[in-house]
Amino acid sequence: MIVLAIIIGLQTVGVILMSAMLITPAVAARQWTNKLWVMVTLSALFGAASGIAGTAASSLVPKLPTGPAIVVCVSAIVIISVLFAPGRGVLHRVYQRRKNRVLYKLEGGVPDGTTN
């Protein structure tokens, strides 16, 4: 099925956009789970949602090509996933570090390598 999607997609949108359409839903899904079946399901949902949103945006905005619109939508999903995913997200890690610093201070540690 992947080969069929690549053959059809290459003729429609080109190599770079086809690569983005294949890789980015999986990247977004990987941020949310460790289980393969959940990742495959999320990847399919992210790909379908970005396909629908990109096609809708392309039909509403004059002279907006469909392929790049889809890639922009799926890229937005990736950015949201990288920022907000629990466990792997950037904001989650920032929160965890701040929480650990506070706990470290409460236990009498000296943060940031400073000494008394």
Side-chain angles (χ1 to χ4, degrees):
M1 290 183 72
I2 291 175
V3 172
L4 184 63
I6 290 172
I7 291 171
I8 293 170
L10 284 176
Q11 295 172 353
T12 307
V13 296
V15 175
I16 303 297
L17 294 179
M18 193 62 217
S19 299
M21 285 187 215
L22 284 173
I23 300 300
T24 51
V27 169
R30 180 67 177 114
Q31 299 300 313
W32 295 96
T33 186
N34 288 328
K35 297 180 181 174
L36 180 62
W37 69 272
V38 176
M39 188 175 103
V40 170
T41 304
L42 282 174
S43 180
L45 291 173
F46 291 156
S50 63
I52 292 168
T55 304
S58 175
S59 66
L60 293 174
V61 177
K63 296 185 180 180
L64 179 66
T66 306
I70 293 171
V71 172
V72 167
C73 290
V74 77
S75 296
I77 292 172
V78 169
I79 290 168
I80 290 168
S81 296
V82 167
L83 287 176
F84 297 109
R88 285 196 178 94
V90 172
L91 296 178
H92 177 77
R93 289 186 182 187
V94 168
Y95 170 75
Q96 284 297 104
R97 284 187 183 147
R98 288 186 183 190
K99 182 177 154 186
N100 288 340
R101 272 195 197 135
V102 169
L103 289 175
Y104 187 64
K105 278 185 180 180
L106 290 175
E107 291 178 1
V110 181
D112 299 326
T114 58
T115 58
N116 287 335

